[in-house]
Amino acid sequence: MKLLNNVELVNLDGELYQKWRNKMNETNLSDRYKTDIQKLIKQVCNFAEKQWDFNLRKFYNKLVPFKTPGAIPKEMNYFKPEEFYQFISVVNDLQMRCLYKTLYYCGLRRGEARGLIWKNTDLENRKIYIKQQVQNNPKTNNDHDYYVAACKTPTSHRTIPIPDDLYNDLYELRKELKKYKMFKESWYTFGDKEPIGTHKMENWKDRYCEKAGVKRIRLHDFRHSCASALINGNNAPTTVAAYLGHSEPTETLETYSHMFEENLSAVPTYFNKIYEDYNQKNDQK
């Protein structure tokens, strides 16, 4: 981001952005990583507009995701619904069952799940409020050396409805925890006074995958699994983006374009049905 150092926000323009973008393209960074770096610039622009009423829309709208022409996208791994239910059927620990169901049903990032506290797990209204994340210190990657941070982007702060299957387990988990006199609303939903560790999340997940006889996926792939379920449910890109906390629907389309393309196969069937219904009504007249 050196080209943008010491540049006042009001002086940001398309020419400077293109020079920076060209420099970024000279690196060996992946398109996804370069786009993530660019999101920091977007966050600065959003903050400046909200705090100081700067009008940076002309510049902001030029910030499009990086995409190398002809690049082969990485294969995305995820659970199909039947695979997830096979996986969750062997998870006998109540807290871990709640964790993996939350990752799947709510599409949370790993840090968001770790940062969830009971105060923001609203069982009365059946909603989860995503307001923070927990990350390990990158220098140590030690689960006990962590920090609480704001969400990845402003739109990552979101409210997610709790499906019945998840609600039932969360209700039982909270009931069990409230038996302890020391229980507080500030406790982590997945953990206690301290958030659950990433290594525990990973290790237990791998054991359950082996026990269930399903493929091993990453924790982040539960989020992809959620997106896949939403897209296959014919939800609009804007709905999927809001649910996952993406900054723009374009990010959703960029990440899951192949899933949306697969989903288009049902469109002819839909129009065939409309045509048949129309003809049927006319024949009855």
Side-chain angles (χ1 to χ4, degrees), residues 66-148:
F66 285 84
K67 187 173 183 180
T68 303
I72 300 174
K74 290 184 179 179
E75 186 176 350
M76 188 174 291
N77 215 1
Y78 58 92
F79 276 154
K80 294 180 180 178
E82 57 270 22
E83 291 174 312
F84 171 73
Y85 290 120
Q86 187 174 338
F87 165 83
I88 207 67
S89 69
V90 303
V91 182
N92 51 8
D93 181 273
L94 181 57
Q95 187 175 72
M96 299 306 288
R97 191 161 69 242
C98 287
L99 167 66
Y100 296 127
K101 283 186 179 182
T102 301
L103 291 174
Y104 177 75
Y105 285 126
C106 302
L108 267 58
R109 300 176 177 92
R110 181 178 65 181
E112 293 171 346
R114 294 183 71 198
L116 188 63
I117 60 176
W118 280 109
K119 181 181 178 181
N120 295 330
T121 307
D122 185 357
L123 296 184
E124 183 178 350
N125 294 302
R126 300 195 177 208
K127 293 178 181 178
I128 287 175
Y129 307 111
I130 308 303
K131 296 186 176 183
Q132 62 184 28
Q133 63 173 325
V134 167
Q135 297 289 349
N136 287 351
N137 183 334
K139 294 182 180 179
T140 63
N141 195 27
N142 187 317
D143 286 334
H144 299 291
D145 184 14
Y146 65 88
Y147 61 95
V148 179

Coordinates of all heavy atoms in Angstrom, one line a residue, residues 66-148:
F66 N -9.9 -8.0 -7.3 CA -8.8 -8.4 -8.2 C -9.2 -9.7 -8.9 O -9.7 -10.7 -8.2 CB -7.5 -8.6 -7.5 CG -6.8 -7.3 -7.1 CD1 -7.2 -6.6 -6.0 CD2 -5.8 -6.8 -7.9 CE1 -6.6 -5.5 -5.6 CE2 -5.2 -5.6 -7.6 CZ -5.6 -4.9 -6.4
K67 N -9.0 -9.8 -10.2 CA -9.3 -11.1 -10.9 C -8.3 -11.2 -12.1 O -8.4 -10.5 -13.1 CB -10.8 -11.1 -11.4 CG -11.2 -12.4 -12.0 CD -12.7 -12.4 -12.3 CE -13.1 -13.8 -12.8 NZ -14.6 -13.8 -13.1
T68 N -7.4 -12.2 -12.0 CA -6.5 -12.4 -13.0 C -7.1 -13.1 -14.2 O -7.7 -14.2 -14.0 CB -5.3 -13.3 -12.5 OG1 -4.7 -12.6 -11.4 CG2 -4.3 -13.5 -13.6
P69 N -7.1 -12.6 -15.4 CA -7.7 -13.2 -16.6 C -7.2 -14.6 -16.8 O -6.0 -14.9 -16.8 CB -7.4 -12.3 -17.7 CG -7.1 -11.0 -17.1 CD -6.5 -11.3 -15.8
G70 N -8.1 -15.6 -17.0 CA -7.7 -16.9 -17.2 C -7.2 -17.7 -16.0 O -6.8 -18.9 -16.1
A71 N -7.3 -17.1 -14.8 CA -6.9 -17.8 -13.6 C -7.8 -18.9 -13.3 O -9.1 -18.8 -13.4 CB -6.8 -16.8 -12.5
I72 N -7.3 -20.1 -12.9 CA -8.1 -21.2 -12.5 C -8.6 -21.1 -11.1 O -7.7 -21.0 -10.2 CB -7.4 -22.5 -12.7 CG1 -7.0 -22.7 -14.2 CG2 -8.3 -23.7 -12.3 CD1 -6.1 -23.9 -14.5
P73 N -9.8 -20.9 -10.8 CA -10.3 -20.8 -9.4 C -10.0 -22.0 -8.6 O -10.1 -23.1 -9.1 CB -11.8 -20.5 -9.5 CG -12.2 -21.1 -10.8 CD -11.0 -21.0 -11.7
K74 N -9.7 -21.8 -7.3 CA -9.4 -22.9 -6.4 C -10.8 -23.7 -6.2 O -11.8 -23.1 -6.1 CB -8.9 -22.4 -5.1 CG -7.5 -21.9 -5.2 CD -7.0 -21.5 -3.8 CE -5.6 -20.9 -3.8 NZ -5.1 -20.5 -2.5
E75 N -10.6 -25.0 -6.1 CA -11.8 -25.8 -5.9 C -12.3 -25.5 -4.5 O -11.6 -25.5 -3.5 CB -11.5 -27.3 -6.1 CG -12.7 -28.2 -6.0 CD -12.3 -29.6 -6.2 OE1 -11.2 -29.9 -6.7 OE2 -13.2 -30.5 -6.0
M76 N -13.6 -25.3 -4.4 CA -14.2 -25.0 -3.1 C -14.8 -26.3 -2.5 O -15.5 -27.0 -3.1 CB -15.3 -23.9 -3.3 CG -15.9 -23.4 -2.0 SD -17.0 -22.1 -2.3 CE -15.9 -20.8 -2.9
N77 N -14.4 -26.5 -1.3 CA -14.9 -27.7 -0.6 C -16.1 -27.3 0.4 O -16.0 -26.3 1.0 CB -13.8 -28.3 0.2 CG -13.9 -29.8 0.3 OD1 -14.8 -30.4 -0.3 ND2 -13.0 -30.5 1.0
Y78 N -17.1 -28.2 0.5 CA -18.2 -27.9 1.4 C -19.0 -29.1 1.6 O -18.9 -30.1 0.8 CB -19.1 -26.8 0.8 CG -19.7 -27.0 -0.5 CD1 -20.9 -27.6 -0.7 CD2 -19.0 -26.7 -1.7 CE1 -21.5 -27.9 -1.9 CE2 -19.5 -27.0 -3.0 CZ -20.8 -27.5 -3.1 OH -21.3 -27.8 -4.3
F79 N -19.8 -29.1 2.6 CA -20.7 -30.2 2.9 C -22.0 -30.0 2.2 O -22.6 -28.9 2.3 CB -21.0 -30.3 4.4 CG -20.0 -31.1 5.2 CD1 -19.9 -30.8 6.6 CD2 -19.2 -32.1 4.7 CE1 -19.0 -31.5 7.4 CE2 -18.3 -32.8 5.5 CZ -18.2 -32.5 6.8
K80 N -22.5 -31.0 1.5 CA -23.9 -31.0 1.1 C -24.7 -31.3 2.3 O -24.2 -31.9 3.3 CB -24.1 -32.1 0.0 CG -23.4 -31.8 -1.3 CD -23.6 -32.9 -2.3 CE -22.9 -32.6 -3.6 NZ -23.1 -33.7 -4.6
P81 N -26.0 -30.9 2.3 CA -26.9 -31.1 3.5 C -26.8 -32.6 4.1 O -26.6 -32.7 5.3 CB -28.3 -30.8 3.0 CG -28.1 -29.8 1.9 CD -26.8 -30.2 1.3
E82 N -26.8 -33.6 3.2 CA -26.8 -34.9 3.7 C -25.5 -35.3 4.4 O -25.4 -36.0 5.4 CB -27.1 -35.9 2.6 CG -26.2 -35.9 1.4 CD -26.6 -34.9 0.3 OE1 -27.5 -34.0 0.6 OE2 -26.2 -35.1 -0.8
E83 N -24.4 -34.6 3.9 CA -23.1 -34.9 4.5 C -23.0 -34.2 5.8 O -22.4 -34.7 6.8 CB -22.0 -34.3 3.6 CG -21.8 -35.1 2.3 CD -20.8 -34.5 1.3 OE1 -20.9 -33.3 1.1 OE2 -19.9 -35.2 0.8
F84 N -23.5 -33.0 5.9 CA -23.5 -32.3 7.2 C -24.3 -33.0 8.3 O -23.8 -33.2 9.4 CB -24.1 -30.9 7.1 CG -24.2 -30.2 8.4 CD1 -23.2 -29.7 9.1 CD2 -25.5 -30.0 9.0 CE1 -23.3 -29.1 10.4 CE2 -25.7 -29.5 10.2 CZ -24.6 -29.0 10.9
Y85 N -25.5 -33.5 7.9 CA -26.3 -34.2 8.9 C -25.7 -35.6 9.3 O -25.8 -36.0 10.4 CB -27.7 -34.4 8.4 CG -28.5 -33.1 8.3 CD1 -28.9 -32.6 7.1 CD2 -28.6 -32.3 9.5 CE1 -29.6 -31.4 7.1 CE2 -29.3 -31.1 9.4 CZ -29.7 -30.6 8.2 OH -30.4 -29.4 8.1
Q86 N -24.9 -36.2 8.4 CA -24.2 -37.4 8.7 C -23.1 -37.0 9.7 O -22.8 -37.8 10.7 CB -23.6 -38.0 7.5 CG -23.0 -39.4 7.7 CD -22.6 -40.0 6.4 OE1 -23.1 -39.7 5.3 NE2 -21.6 -41.0 6.5
F87 N -22.4 -35.9 9.5 CA -21.3 -35.4 10.3 C -21.9 -35.1 11.7 O -21.4 -35.6 12.7 CB -20.7 -34.2 9.7 CG -19.8 -33.4 10.7 CD1 -18.5 -33.8 10.9 CD2 -20.3 -32.3 11.3 CE1 -17.7 -33.0 11.8 CE2 -19.6 -31.5 12.2 CZ -18.3 -31.9 12.4
I88 N -22.9 -34.3 11.8 CA -23.4 -33.8 13.1 C -24.1 -34.9 13.9 O -24.2 -34.8 15.1 CB -24.4 -32.6 12.9 CG1 -24.4 -31.7 14.1 CG2 -25.8 -33.1 12.6 CD1 -23.1 -30.9 14.3
S89 N -24.4 -36.0 13.2 CA -25.1 -37.1 14.0 C -24.1 -37.8 14.9 O -24.6 -38.5 15.9 CB -25.6 -38.2 13.0 OG -24.6 -38.8 12.3
V90 N -22.8 -37.7 14.7 CA -21.9 -38.3 15.6 C -21.3 -37.4 16.6 O -20.4 -37.8 17.5 CB -20.7 -39.0 14.8 CG1 -21.3 -40.0 13.8 CG2 -19.9 -38.0 14.1
V91 N -21.7 -36.1 16.6 CA -21.1 -35.1 17.5 C -21.9 -35.2 18.8 O -23.0 -34.7 18.9 CB -21.2 -33.7 17.0 CG1 -20.6 -32.7 17.9 CG2 -20.5 -33.6 15.6
N92 N -21.3 -35.9 19.8 CA -22.1 -36.2 21.1 C -21.8 -35.1 22.1 O -22.5 -35.1 23.1 CB -21.7 -37.6 21.6 CG -20.2 -37.8 21.7 OD1 -19.4 -36.8 21.5 ND2 -19.8 -39.0 22.0
D93 N -20.9 -34.2 21.9 CA -20.6 -33.1 22.9 C -21.6 -32.0 22.6 O -21.6 -31.5 21.5 CB -19.2 -32.7 22.9 CG -18.9 -31.6 23.9 OD1 -19.1 -30.4 23.5 OD2 -18.5 -31.9 25.0
L94 N -22.4 -31.6 23.5 CA -23.4 -30.6 23.3 C -22.8 -29.2 22.8 O -23.4 -28.6 21.8 CB -24.3 -30.3 24.5 CG -25.4 -29.3 24.4 CD1 -26.4 -29.7 23.3 CD2 -26.2 -29.2 25.8
Q95 N -21.8 -28.7 23.5 CA -21.2 -27.5 23.1 C -20.6 -27.5 21.7 O -20.8 -26.6 20.8 CB -20.2 -27.0 24.0 CG -19.7 -25.6 23.7 CD -18.7 -25.0 24.8 OE1 -17.6 -25.5 24.8 NE2 -19.2 -24.1 25.6
M96 N -19.9 -28.6 21.4 CA -19.4 -28.8 20.0 C -20.4 -28.9 19.0 O -20.3 -28.4 17.8 CB -18.4 -29.9 20.0 CG -17.2 -29.8 21.0 SD -16.3 -28.3 20.8 CE -15.4 -28.6 19.2
R97 N -21.5 -29.6 19.3 CA -22.6 -29.7 18.4 C -23.2 -28.3 18.1 O -23.5 -28.0 16.9 CB -23.7 -30.6 18.9 CG -24.8 -31.0 17.9 CD -25.5 -32.3 18.3 NE -26.4 -32.1 19.5 CZ -26.3 -32.7 20.6 NH1 -25.3 -33.6 20.8 NH2 -27.1 -32.5 21.6
C98 N -23.4 -27.5 19.1 CA -23.9 -26.1 18.9 C -22.9 -25.3 18.0 O -23.3 -24.6 17.1 CB -24.0 -25.4 20.2 SG -25.5 -26.0 21.2
L99 N -21.6 -25.5 18.3 CA -20.6 -24.8 17.5 C -20.7 -25.1 16.0 O -20.8 -24.2 15.2 CB -19.2 -25.1 18.0 CG -18.0 -24.7 17.1 CD1 -18.0 -23.2 17.1 CD2 -16.7 -25.3 17.6
Y100 N -20.7 -26.4 15.7 CA -20.7 -26.8 14.3 C -22.0 -26.5 13.6 O -22.0 -26.1 12.4 CB -20.3 -28.3 14.1 CG -18.9 -28.6 14.6 CD1 -18.7 -29.6 15.6 CD2 -17.8 -27.9 14.2 CE1 -17.4 -29.9 16.0 CE2 -16.5 -28.1 14.6 CZ -16.3 -29.1 15.5 OH -15.1 -29.4 16.0
K101 N -23.1 -26.5 14.3 CA -24.4 -26.2 13.8 C -24.4 -24.7 13.5 O -25.0 -24.2 12.5 CB -25.5 -26.6 14.7 CG -25.9 -28.0 14.6 CD -27.1 -28.4 15.5 CE -27.5 -29.8 15.4 NZ -28.7 -30.2 16.2
T102 N -23.8 -23.9 14.4 CA -23.8 -22.4 14.2 C -22.9 -22.1 13.0 O -23.3 -21.2 12.2 CB -23.2 -21.7 15.4 OG1 -24.1 -22.0 16.6 CG2 -23.2 -20.2 15.3
L103 N -21.8 -22.7 12.8 CA -21.0 -22.5 11.6 C -21.7 -22.8 10.4 O -21.6 -22.1 9.4 CB -19.7 -23.3 11.7 CG -18.7 -22.9 12.8 CD1 -17.5 -24.0 12.8 CD2 -18.1 -21.6 12.5
Y104 N -22.5 -23.9 10.4 CA -23.2 -24.3 9.2 C -24.5 -23.5 8.9 O -24.7 -23.0 7.8 CB -23.6 -25.8 9.3 CG -24.4 -26.3 8.2 CD1 -23.8 -26.6 6.9 CD2 -25.8 -26.6 8.3 CE1 -24.5 -27.1 5.8 CE2 -26.5 -27.1 7.2 CZ -25.9 -27.3 6.0 OH -26.6 -27.8 4.9
Y105 N -25.3 -23.4 9.9 CA -26.6 -22.7 9.7 C -26.5 -21.2 9.6 O -27.3 -20.6 8.9 CB -27.6 -23.0 10.9 CG -28.2 -24.4 10.9 CD1 -28.1 -25.2 12.0 CD2 -28.9 -24.9 9.8 CE1 -28.6 -26.5 12.0 CE2 -29.4 -26.1 9.8 CZ -29.3 -26.9 10.9 OH -29.9 -28.2 10.9
C106 N -25.5 -20.6 10.3 CA -25.4 -19.2 10.3 C -24.2 -18.6 9.5 O -24.1 -17.4 9.3 CB -25.2 -18.7 11.8 SG -26.5 -19.2 12.8
G107 N -23.4 -19.5 8.9 CA -22.3 -19.1 8.0 C -21.3 -18.2 8.7 O -20.7 -17.3 8.0
L108 N -21.0 -18.4 10.0 CA -20.1 -17.6 10.7 C -18.6 -17.9 10.3 O -18.3 -19.0 9.9 CB -20.2 -17.8 12.2 CG -21.1 -16.8 12.9 CD1 -22.5 -16.9 12.4 CD2 -21.1 -17.1 14.4
R109 N -17.8 -16.9 10.3 CA -16.4 -17.1 10.2 C -15.9 -17.6 11.5 O -16.5 -17.5 12.5 CB -15.7 -15.7 9.9 CG -16.1 -15.0 8.6 CD -15.4 -13.7 8.4 NE -15.8 -13.0 7.2 CZ -16.8 -12.2 7.0 NH1 -17.5 -11.9 8.1 NH2 -17.0 -11.6 5.9
R110 N -14.7 -18.3 11.5 CA -14.2 -18.9 12.7 C -14.1 -17.9 13.8 O -14.4 -18.2 15.0 CB -12.9 -19.6 12.4 CG -12.2 -20.3 13.6 CD -10.9 -20.9 13.2 NE -9.9 -20.0 12.8 CZ -8.7 -20.3 12.4 NH1 -8.3 -21.5 12.2 NH2 -7.8 -19.3 12.0
G111 N -13.5 -16.7 13.5 CA -13.3 -15.7 14.5 C -14.6 -15.2 15.1 O -14.7 -14.8 16.3
E112 N -15.6 -15.1 14.2 CA -16.9 -14.6 14.7 C -17.5 -15.6 15.7 O -18.2 -15.2 16.7 CB -17.9 -14.4 13.5 CG -17.4 -13.3 12.6 CD -18.2 -13.2 11.3 OE1 -18.9 -14.2 11.0 OE2 -18.1 -12.2 10.6
A113 N -17.4 -16.9 15.4 CA -17.9 -17.9 16.3 C -17.2 -17.9 17.6 O -17.8 -18.0 18.7 CB -17.8 -19.3 15.6
R114 N -15.9 -17.7 17.6 CA -15.1 -17.6 18.8 C -15.5 -16.4 19.6 O -15.4 -16.4 20.9 CB -13.6 -17.6 18.5 CG -13.1 -18.9 17.9 CD -11.6 -18.8 17.7 NE -10.8 -18.8 18.9 CZ -9.6 -18.4 19.1 NH1 -8.9 -17.9 18.1 NH2 -9.0 -18.5 20.3
G115 N -15.8 -15.3 18.9 CA -16.2 -14.1 19.6 C -17.6 -14.0 20.1 O -17.9 -13.0 20.8
L116 N -18.4 -14.9 19.8 CA -19.8 -14.9 20.2 C -20.0 -15.1 21.7 O -19.4 -16.0 22.3 CB -20.6 -15.9 19.4 CG -22.1 -15.9 19.6 CD1 -22.7 -14.6 19.0 CD2 -22.8 -17.1 18.9
I117 N -20.7 -14.2 22.4 CA -21.0 -14.3 23.8 C -22.5 -14.5 24.0 O -23.3 -14.3 23.1 CB -20.5 -13.1 24.6 CG1 -21.2 -11.8 24.1 CG2 -19.0 -13.0 24.5 CD1 -20.8 -10.6 24.9
W118 N -22.8 -15.0 25.2 CA -24.2 -15.3 25.5 C -25.1 -14.1 25.5 O -26.3 -14.1 25.1 CB -24.4 -16.0 26.8 CG -24.0 -17.5 26.7 CD1 -22.9 -18.1 27.2 CD2 -24.8 -18.5 26.1 NE1 -23.0 -19.4 26.9 CE2 -24.1 -19.7 26.2 CE3 -26.0 -18.5 25.4 CZ2 -24.6 -20.9 25.6 CZ3 -26.5 -19.6 24.8 CH2 -25.8 -20.8 25.0
K119 N -24.5 -12.9 25.8 CA -25.3 -11.7 25.8 C -25.8 -11.4 24.4 O -26.9 -10.8 24.2 CB -24.4 -10.5 26.2 CG -25.1 -9.2 26.3 CD -24.1 -8.1 26.7 CE -24.8 -6.7 26.7 NZ -23.8 -5.6 27.1
N120 N -25.0 -11.8 23.4 CA -25.4 -11.6 22.0 C -26.0 -12.9 21.3 O -26.2 -12.9 20.1 CB -24.2 -11.2 21.2 CG -23.7 -9.8 21.6 OD1 -24.4 -9.0 22.1 ND2 -22.4 -9.6 21.5
T121 N -26.3 -13.9 22.2 CA -27.0 -15.1 21.7 C -28.4 -15.0 22.3 O -28.7 -15.4 23.4 CB -26.3 -16.3 22.1 OG1 -24.9 -16.3 21.7 CG2 -26.9 -17.6 21.5
D122 N -29.3 -14.3 21.5 CA -30.6 -14.0 22.0 C -31.6 -15.1 21.7 O -32.3 -15.1 20.7 CB -31.1 -12.7 21.4 CG -32.4 -12.1 21.9 OD1 -33.0 -12.8 22.7 OD2 -32.8 -11.1 21.4
L123 N -31.8 -16.0 22.7 CA -32.7 -17.1 22.5 C -34.1 -16.7 22.6 O -35.0 -17.4 21.9 CB -32.4 -18.2 23.5 CG -31.0 -18.9 23.5 CD1 -30.8 -20.0 24.5 CD2 -30.7 -19.4 22.0
E124 N -34.4 -15.7 23.3 CA -35.8 -15.2 23.5 C -36.4 -14.8 22.1 O -37.5 -15.1 21.7 CB -35.9 -14.1 24.5 CG -37.3 -13.6 24.7 CD -37.4 -12.5 25.7 OE1 -36.4 -12.3 26.4 OE2 -38.5 -12.0 25.9
N125 N -35.5 -14.1 21.3 CA -36.0 -13.6 20.0 C -35.4 -14.5 18.9 O -35.6 -14.1 17.7 CB -35.6 -12.2 19.8 CG -36.3 -11.2 20.8 OD1 -37.5 -11.2 20.8 ND2 -35.5 -10.5 21.6
R126 N -34.7 -15.5 19.3 CA -34.1 -16.4 18.3 C -33.2 -15.7 17.3 O -33.4 -15.9 16.1 CB -35.2 -17.3 17.6 CG -36.0 -18.1 18.6 CD -36.9 -19.1 17.9 NE -37.6 -19.9 18.9 CZ -38.0 -21.2 18.7 NH1 -37.6 -21.8 17.6 NH2 -38.6 -21.9 19.6
K127 N -32.3 -15.0 17.8 CA -31.4 -14.2 17.0 C -30.0 -14.3 17.5 O -29.8 -14.3 18.7 CB -31.8 -12.8 16.8 CG -33.1 -12.6 16.0 CD -33.6 -11.2 15.9 CE -34.9 -11.1 15.1 NZ -35.3 -9.7 15.1
I128 N -29.0 -14.2 16.6 CA -27.6 -14.1 17.0 C -27.1 -12.8 16.5 O -27.3 -12.4 15.3 CB -26.7 -15.2 16.4 CG1 -27.0 -16.6 17.1 CG2 -25.3 -14.9 16.5 CD1 -26.3 -17.7 16.5
Y129 N -26.4 -12.0 17.4 CA -25.9 -10.7 17.0 C -24.4 -10.8 16.8 O -23.7 -11.1 17.8 CB -26.2 -9.6 18.0 CG -27.7 -9.6 18.3 CD1 -28.2 -10.0 19.6 CD2 -28.6 -9.2 17.3 CE1 -29.6 -9.9 19.8 CE2 -30.0 -9.1 17.6 CZ -30.5 -9.5 18.9 OH -31.8 -9.5 19.1
I130 N -23.9 -10.6 15.6 CA -22.4 -10.7 15.4 C -21.8 -9.3 15.6 O -22.1 -8.4 14.8 CB -22.1 -11.2 14.0 CG1 -22.9 -12.5 13.7 CG2 -20.6 -11.4 13.8 CD1 -22.6 -13.6 14.7
K131 N -21.0 -9.1 16.7 CA -20.5 -7.8 17.0 C -19.0 -7.7 17.2 O -18.5 -6.7 17.3 CB -21.2 -7.3 18.3 CG -22.7 -7.1 18.1 CD -23.3 -6.5 19.4 CE -24.8 -6.2 19.2 NZ -25.4 -5.5 20.4
Q132 N -18.4 -8.9 17.2 CA -16.9 -8.9 17.4 C -16.4 -10.3 17.0 O -17.1 -11.2 16.6 CB -16.6 -8.7 18.9 CG -17.2 -9.9 19.8 CD -16.9 -9.7 21.3 OE1 -16.8 -8.5 21.7 NE2 -16.8 -10.7 22.0
Q133 N -15.1 -10.3 16.9 CA -14.4 -11.6 16.6 C -13.2 -11.8 17.5 O -12.7 -10.8 18.1 CB -14.0 -11.6 15.1 CG -12.9 -10.5 14.8 CD -12.4 -10.7 13.4 OE1 -12.2 -11.8 12.9 NE2 -12.1 -9.5 12.7
V134 N -12.8 -13.0 17.6 CA -11.6 -13.4 18.4 C -10.5 -14.0 17.5 O -10.8 -14.9 16.7 CB -11.9 -14.3 19.6 CG1 -10.7 -14.9 20.2 CG2 -12.7 -13.6 20.6
Q135 N -9.3 -13.5 17.5 CA -8.2 -14.0 16.7 C -7.0 -14.2 17.6 O -6.8 -13.6 18.6 CB -7.9 -12.9 15.6 CG -9.0 -12.6 14.6 CD -9.2 -13.8 13.7 OE1 -8.5 -14.7 13.6 NE2 -10.3 -13.7 12.9
N136 N -6.2 -15.2 17.2 CA -5.0 -15.5 17.9 C -3.9 -14.5 17.4 O -4.0 -14.0 16.3 CB -4.5 -16.9 17.5 CG -5.3 -18.0 18.3 OD1 -6.1 -17.7 19.1 ND2 -5.1 -19.3 17.9
N137 N -3.0 -14.3 18.3 CA -1.8 -13.5 17.9 C -1.1 -14.2 16.8 O -0.6 -15.3 17.0 CB -0.9 -13.3 19.2 CG 0.3 -12.4 18.9 OD1 0.7 -12.3 17.8 ND2 0.8 -11.8 19.9
P138 N -0.9 -13.6 15.6 CA -0.3 -14.3 14.5 C 1.2 -14.7 14.8 O 1.7 -15.6 14.2 CB -0.4 -13.3 13.4 CG -0.6 -12.0 14.0 CD -1.4 -12.2 15.3
K139 N 1.8 -14.0 15.7 CA 3.2 -14.3 16.0 C 3.4 -15.6 16.8 O 4.4 -16.3 16.7 CB 3.8 -13.1 16.8 CG 4.0 -11.8 16.1 CD 4.6 -10.8 16.9 CE 4.8 -9.5 16.1 NZ 5.4 -8.4 16.9
T140 N 2.3 -15.9 17.6 CA 2.4 -17.1 18.4 C 1.5 -18.2 18.0 O 1.7 -19.4 18.2 CB 2.1 -16.8 19.9 OG1 0.8 -16.3 20.0 CG2 3.1 -15.7 20.4
N141 N 0.3 -17.8 17.4 CA -0.7 -18.7 17.0 C -1.1 -19.7 18.2 O -1.4 -20.9 18.0 CB -0.4 -19.6 15.8 CG -1.6 -20.3 15.2 OD1 -2.7 -19.8 15.3 ND2 -1.4 -21.4 14.5
N142 N -1.1 -19.1 19.4 CA -1.4 -19.8 20.6 C -2.8 -19.5 21.0 O -3.2 -18.3 21.1 CB -0.4 -19.4 21.7 CG -0.6 -20.2 23.0 OD1 -1.7 -20.5 23.4 ND2 0.5 -20.6 23.5
D143 N -3.6 -20.5 21.3 CA -5.0 -20.3 21.6 C -5.2 -19.4 22.9 O -6.3 -18.9 23.1 CB -5.8 -21.6 21.8 CG -6.0 -22.3 20.4 OD1 -6.1 -21.6 19.4 OD2 -6.1 -23.5 20.4
H144 N -4.2 -19.4 23.7 CA -4.3 -18.6 25.0 C -3.8 -17.2 24.8 O -3.9 -16.4 25.7 CB -3.5 -19.3 26.1 CG -4.1 -20.7 26.4 ND1 -5.3 -20.9 27.0 CD2 -3.6 -21.9 26.2 CE1 -5.5 -22.2 27.1 NE2 -4.5 -22.8 26.6
D145 N -3.2 -16.9 23.6 CA -2.7 -15.6 23.3 C -3.6 -15.0 22.2 O -3.2 -15.1 21.0 CB -1.2 -15.7 22.8 CG -0.6 -14.4 22.6 OD1 -1.2 -13.3 23.0 OD2 0.5 -14.3 21.9
Y146 N -4.7 -14.5 22.6 CA -5.7 -14.1 21.6 C -6.1 -12.6 21.9 O -5.7 -12.1 23.0 CB -7.0 -15.0 21.7 CG -7.7 -14.9 23.0 CD1 -8.7 -13.9 23.2 CD2 -7.4 -15.8 24.0 CE1 -9.4 -13.8 24.4 CE2 -8.1 -15.7 25.2 CZ -9.1 -14.7 25.4 OH -9.8 -14.6 26.6
Y147 N -6.8 -12.0 21.0 CA -7.3 -10.7 21.2 C -8.7 -10.6 20.6 O -9.1 -11.3 19.7 CB -6.4 -9.6 20.6 CG -6.2 -9.8 19.1 CD1 -7.0 -9.0 18.2 CD2 -5.3 -10.6 18.5 CE1 -6.9 -9.1 16.8 CE2 -5.1 -10.7 17.1 CZ -5.9 -10.0 16.3 OH -5.8 -10.0 14.9
V148 N -9.5 -9.7 21.2 CA -10.9 -9.4 20.7 C -10.8 -8.2 19.8 O -10.3 -7.2 20.2 CB -11.9 -9.2 21.9 CG1 -13.3 -8.9 21.4 CG2 -11.9 -10.4 22.8

